[in-house]
Amino acid sequence: MHRRKKPEPKAQLMQGNEACAEGALIAGCRFFAGYPITPASEIAEHLSYRLPQVDGTFIQMEDEIASMGAVIGGSLAGVKSMTATSGPGFSLMQENLGFACMAEVPCVVVNVMRGGPSTGLPTNPSQGDVMQARWGTHGDHPIIVLSPSSVMECFTLTVKAFNYSEKYRTPVIFLMDEVVAHMREKVVLPEPNEVTVIDRVKPSVPPEWYLPYEDTSFGVPPMGIFGEGYRYHVTGLVHDIRGFPTLRQDEIEPFLLRLFRKISIHFADIQLVESFHTEDADLVIVAYGCTFRSAHRAMVEARARGLKVGLLKLITIWPFPRRVVEPLTRAKKTLLVPEMNMGQISREVKRVNQGMTTVLTVNKIDGTMITPQEILEKIEEEKK
Amino acid sequence: MIEDRPLIYKYLRHDKKFPHVWCGGCGIGILLGSLIRAIDHLGYTKDEVVLVSGIGCSGRLPVYVDFNTLHTTHGRALTFATGVKLAKPELKVIIIMGDGDATAIGGNHFIHAARRNLDLTAIIVNNNIYGMTGGQYSPTTPYGQRATTAVYGSVEHSFNIAQLAVCAGAVFAARGTVYHVRQLDGLIEKALLKNGFSVVEVISQCHTHYGRLNKLGNQIDMMKQQRDSAVPVEKARKMSPEEMEGKFEIGILVDREAPNYLEQYNKVRQKAKNALSLQLTKEEKEESERREALDKQ
């Protein structure tokens, strides 16, 4: 009897940028506007090839300012949209990124971090844009920032980024780094039906009852789509619940507070982390992005030498997962934060710590990755 | 204008807090009237029109009218409009910009939108000054004229917006004034009907700043100046540069045909799909061969 073998899931060698682009497609992204920049160009190249196959649209705009504008326009017209860039382009996008925060337009912005400031190190990795991702655009605003550390995560977290952006009507920044973006690893991509995809909630009331910026218990108002009968005003000015510009104190503050609240009441859903041996550890490494990979190796080596070392991987960087870091500081575990900048996340860890324990850092800004040895040396120095 | 009141009322947002932000005598209101008449005459529904604006006095226009309205960041209206149109080609996307908005901070977006030739209609209100911020000189402030940042007279030369659109590749470019309002209605209608990137430059007055700083009189005096310095395009062609000094042409500067971006992109989609189906057939074939080989074992 012939027994047909079930076809094996296709393993493939894939680059982080390509995985990100494929993740976007499976999440339902059908519009991409971008401008070439190293080390993010592969995302645009891959999507320019793939989007027209699925009736999507790819456009190369005249600059990153225009790219971000087109992405917001696409999203307002009801299509999941994204752009991808690196440091200098990300600086240009900040203006319209603020617009997306203010008008609550879902979109995903990929920033593949390279060395800075300015033109910096186009082909070398860095993690120097962590604070820019949080505070890059002017004014108080909440934002969600995710950071992948492997090619598979470039895929899965891009889907998550779209889901968060649609669920909470907010731009989500996907903070990759040059290592993760250009690295090739073996991945097995899931079938489309195995992936959870969330779409924005649209209004169900009659158009004349629709209040586009109404407060809801969930904190996120349903989103009307241009051309679907819910005519409303979208503006970057502070607006009332009908979307019209306002200068009234009793409308300004409730609106801005809701922007924060819609994220803060959902911290448990948004703040993603992974813990490795943190329970019995007396030293915990806090790492994210490509640095996580070195930190993991360092932890394994340290454990082999009998040192009680744990590891906390931050997947969501902003809003900073305080509720996970705080118990570690309370338990008086020494924290070690390796990162490829002069201390942007370690600053947050120190803020959470408030003198309860010691926070050590390993900082490197020479355009190369932090090696496991460098982390290990710091651990051994501390354990002496 | 009495007969127009019911028409305008049909399109106003009555739940919006009025009065509007414009000074009495501003030309933007006249333009809004023209735009409404054109839209109404062409029979577009409120749901299919998207009105996009930038920042400045003209940027406040969409909020008063009952369409899908989008008030964007300074100079970026065309980029947002590009996204809307590409995502939903069935929408009629109209962009309202000021002279500073379109040709200073948004100058790059303007020339590239014209070059790309997406089916958009850009209406640029040119009042020769930055009105909302208090009268600073703009890229269209004529040489020697005063502004709050050019108190000794501007030493820069000004842009000719409609000509800029022609050179950048717009398929339709026209100039009108708020004085020649019936002509303006027609120009906007033609621009809306045009398949491709169309531009209408609307010469307007800012008596509050430009007129006051340059002693040009009140709004009525300024509109009379529009009447006196506007020359129809056909007549202007026969005039020498010396005769045209201090005057400007009104009418249609260019009306030509060129492939529209979306039509071109649909061809790209078709090519991509053909390539994909070829690739899939190849993969299927390989898969069935692989299975046959397995069965034989």
Side-chain angles (χ1 to χ4, degrees):
Chain A
M1 199 179 112
H2 292 289
R3 196 183 297 157
R4 286 225 151 164
K5 255 190 178 174
K6 199 182 162 203
E8 304 240 330
K10 259 193 188 166
Q12 47 187 317
L13 191 64
M14 205 175 219
Q15 191 195 42
N17 276 340
E18 286 168 11
C20 170
E22 284 299 324
L25 287 169
I26 220 157
C29 172
R30 290 296 177 270
F31 183 76
F32 181 98
Y35 187 81
I37 190 165
T38 306
S41 299
E42 291 85 358
I43 299 176
E45 286 168 352
H46 194 72
L47 285 173
S48 78
Y49 165 70
R50 289 280 282 127
L51 273 171
Q53 293 177 346
V54 291
D55 274 325
T57 311
F58 168 91
I59 188 167
Q60 186 171 307
M61 296 297 286
E62 53 271 18
D63 57 28
E64 285 90 348
I65 303 171
S67 307
M68 192 64 216
V71 161
I72 295 171
S75 185
L76 284 170
V79 175
K80 289 188 188 179
S81 308
M82 90 162 184
T83 182
T85 187
S86 181
F90 192 52
S91 293
L92 288 179
M93 284 180 185
Q94 296 303 332
E95 179 195 33
N96 286 337
L97 193 60
F99 184 95
C101 292
M102 181 58 115
E104 300 178 67
V105 185
C107 54
V108 173
V109 178
V110 181
N111 175 13
V112 183
M113 288 186 283
R114 67 192 216 186
S118 188
T119 316
L121 299 160
T123 54
N124 290 24
S126 148
Q127 293 180 315
D129 304 348
V130 170
M131 280 293 171
Q132 189 192 19
R134 176 65 192 88
W135 295 113
T137 194
H138 55 276
D140 278 321
H141 62 279
I143 196 112
I144 298 175
V145 181
L146 305 180
S147 180
S149 57
S150 67
V151 172
M152 194 57 211
E153 274 190 351
C154 286
F155 178 87
T156 54
L157 291 181
T158 302
V159 179
K160 275 222 155 41
F162 271 99
N163 287 349
Y164 286 147
S165 77
E166 294 283 316
K167 193 169 173 185
Y168 301 115
R169 282 189 68 179
T170 176
V172 175
I173 292 164
F174 197 54
L175 204 58
M176 293 165 69
D177 49 62
E178 193 273 340
V179 173
V180 175
H182 280 164
M183 180 171 61
R184 284 182 187 274
E185 272 185 318
K186 179 186 153 183
V187 290
V188 180
L189 298 188
E191 292 296 315
N193 55 10
E194 296 164 2
V195 178
T196 311
V197 172
I198 298 174
D199 294 323
R200 64 192 70 173
V201 175
K202 291 185 186 178
S204 49
V205 295
E208 58 275 19
W209 292 2
Y210 178 52
L211 292 169
Y213 293 97
E214 191 183 18
D215 200 354
T216 61
S217 57
F218 190 66
V220 186
M223 186 172 171
I225 303 299
F226 281 180
E228 292 185 3
Y230 293 88
R231 297 186 301 276
Y232 69 111
H233 187 61
V234 181
T235 177
L237 291 164
V238 173
H239 39 271
D240 60 20
I241 56 171
R242 298 168 305 163
F244 299 138
T246 183
L247 287 171
R248 280 173 54 173
Q249 283 166 295
D250 62 338
E251 289 175 341
I252 297 169
E253 206 172 73
F255 165 68
L256 291 173
L257 288 177
R258 181 177 63 75
L259 287 190
F260 281 91
R261 187 163 50 82
K262 73 174 181 184
I263 303 293
S264 65
I265 60 175
H266 300 292
F267 274 176
D269 178 43
I270 296 167
Q271 292 173 342
L272 306 172
V273 294
E274 254 178 72
S275 299
F276 303 83
H277 307 295
T278 47
E279 302 81 20
D280 69 332
D282 43 30
L283 185 147
V284 175
I285 311 171
V286 181
Y288 58 96
C290 69
T291 310
F292 161 78
R293 304 174 75 92
S294 298
H296 191 267
R297 184 74 213 163
M299 179 195 72
V300 172
E301 297 273 332
R303 289 234 156 216
R305 294 177 199 186
L307 300 170
K308 285 189 171 173
V309 174
L311 173 58
L312 176 68
K313 173 164 103 177
L314 304 180
I315 297 171
T316 304
I317 296 189
W318 302 108
F320 185 73
R322 183 189 181 117
R323 62 193 184 94
V324 189
V325 177
E326 208 162 37
L328 300 177
T329 63
R330 275 184 212 276
K332 309 255 184 289
K333 297 177 196 283
T334 306
L335 297 179
L336 171 61
V337 190
E339 52 184 338
M340 293 161 68
N341 57 48
M342 288 310 287
Q344 301 191 12
I345 280 295
S346 64
R347 195 186 163 92
E348 274 305 294
V349 174
K350 284 172 187 165
R351 180 179 70 83
V352 171
N353 172 33
Q354 295 183 338
M356 281 186 276
T357 182
T358 318
V359 179
L360 306 167
T361 61
V362 175
N363 304 107
K364 201 171 181 186
I365 51 168
D366 62 0
T368 57
M369 259 179 97
I370 297 175
T371 61
Q373 286 71 30
E374 284 165 324
I375 299 171
L376 209 52
E377 275 165 26
K378 191 80 179 180
I379 295 170
E380 286 185 329
E381 192 184 303
E382 173 63 16
K383 293 279 182 173
K384 242 177 225 168
Chain B
M1 296 312 245
I2 296 294
E3 76 272 20
D4 282 342
R5 284 192 86 188
L7 182 60
I8 262 278
Y9 270 51
K10 187 175 142 193
Y11 288 91
L12 286 183
R13 276 182 166 145
H14 298 289
D15 55 344
K16 166 79 189 75
K17 284 165 266 176
F18 276 88
H20 55 68
V21 297
W22 301 311
C23 311
C26 179
I28 297 176
I30 303 174
L31 161 69
L32 176 59
S34 261
L35 180 65
I36 292 296
R37 283 189 292 276
I39 289 173
D40 190 76
H41 189 232
L42 294 175
Y44 295 119
T45 65
K46 288 179 179 180
D47 279 334
E48 69 180 314
V49 174
V50 181
L51 209 51
V52 187
S53 72
I55 295 291
C57 298
S58 60
R60 295 301 186 100
L61 185 144
V63 71
Y64 305 115
V65 276
D66 190 20
F67 299 117
N68 301 288
T69 55
L70 173 55
H71 178 205
T72 70
T73 43
H74 196 19
R76 321 295 179 212
L78 280 168
T79 70
F80 285 67
T82 301
V84 171
K85 185 71 186 176
L86 288 175
K88 239 184 203 164
E90 65 271 27
L91 294 174
K92 188 74 206 166
V93 184
I94 305 165
I95 303 102
I96 311 283
M97 295 177 284
D99 47 315
D101 203 29
T103 60
I105 189 163
N108 199 30
H109 308 308
F110 180 58
I111 56 174
H112 285 279
R115 174 183 65 83
R116 202 173 280 131
N117 197 27
L118 191 61
D119 188 13
L120 301 170
T121 300
I123 297 172
I124 302 170
V125 186
N126 181 1
N127 60 3
N128 308 103
I129 207 149
Y130 286 94
M132 185 157 274
T133 46
Q136 297 80 16
Y137 73 94
S138 84
T140 54
T141 303
Y143 180 85
Q145 294 298 90
R146 289 198 179 85
T148 55
T149 46
V151 283
Y152 306 107
S154 170
V155 291
E156 293 181 19
H157 292 277
S158 60
F159 260 142
N160 180 331
I161 297 177
Q163 278 299 348
L164 183 65
V166 174
C167 297
V171 290
F172 181 92
R175 186 188 287 118
T177 80
V178 293
Y179 175 84
H180 302 87
V181 67
R182 290 296 172 199
Q183 183 196 29
L184 187 60
D185 291 6
L187 292 176
I188 293 177
E189 249 179 61
K190 286 202 181 77
L192 289 173
L193 284 172
K194 188 75 194 176
N195 177 19
F197 189 75
S198 51
V199 178
V200 181
E201 179 188 356
V202 183
I203 306 289
S204 177
Q205 70 278 0
C206 177
H207 55 286
T208 308
H209 296 296
Y210 187 71
R212 178 173 55 85
L213 294 166
N214 292 293
K215 300 193 169 51
L216 297 173
N218 62 16
Q219 60 272 38
I220 298 163
D221 299 325
M222 290 184 79
M223 285 181 82
K224 281 180 184 159
Q225 287 150 24
Q226 289 171 18
R227 176 194 64 193
D228 298 337
S229 22
V231 182
V233 176
E234 302 74 29
K235 194 178 166 198
R237 287 207 184 102
K238 291 174 200 142
M239 286 165 70
S240 66
E242 291 77 37
E243 285 173 309
M244 278 300 286
E245 189 66 41
K247 296 189 187 299
F248 55 84
E249 326 148 90
I250 55 167
I252 299 168
L253 274 72
V254 76
D255 187 354
R256 57 191 166 197
E257 299 302 323
N260 160 337
Y261 182 91
L262 267 167
E263 291 159 8
Q264 298 294 308
Y265 197 76
N266 280 334
K267 287 184 194 161
V268 171
R269 286 190 182 126
Q270 204 45 55
K271 276 185 196 167
K273 280 181 202 157
N274 293 346
L276 181 68
S277 62
L278 272 178
Q279 187 192 331
L280 288 180
T281 352
K282 200 180 154 211
E283 271 175 23
E284 264 167 30
K285 208 176 153 195
E286 280 170 5
E287 179 70 23
S288 64
E289 276 170 10
R290 195 174 66 90
R291 283 188 174 180
E292 266 170 36
L294 275 175
D295 287 348
K296 274 178 194 163
Q297 284 169 12

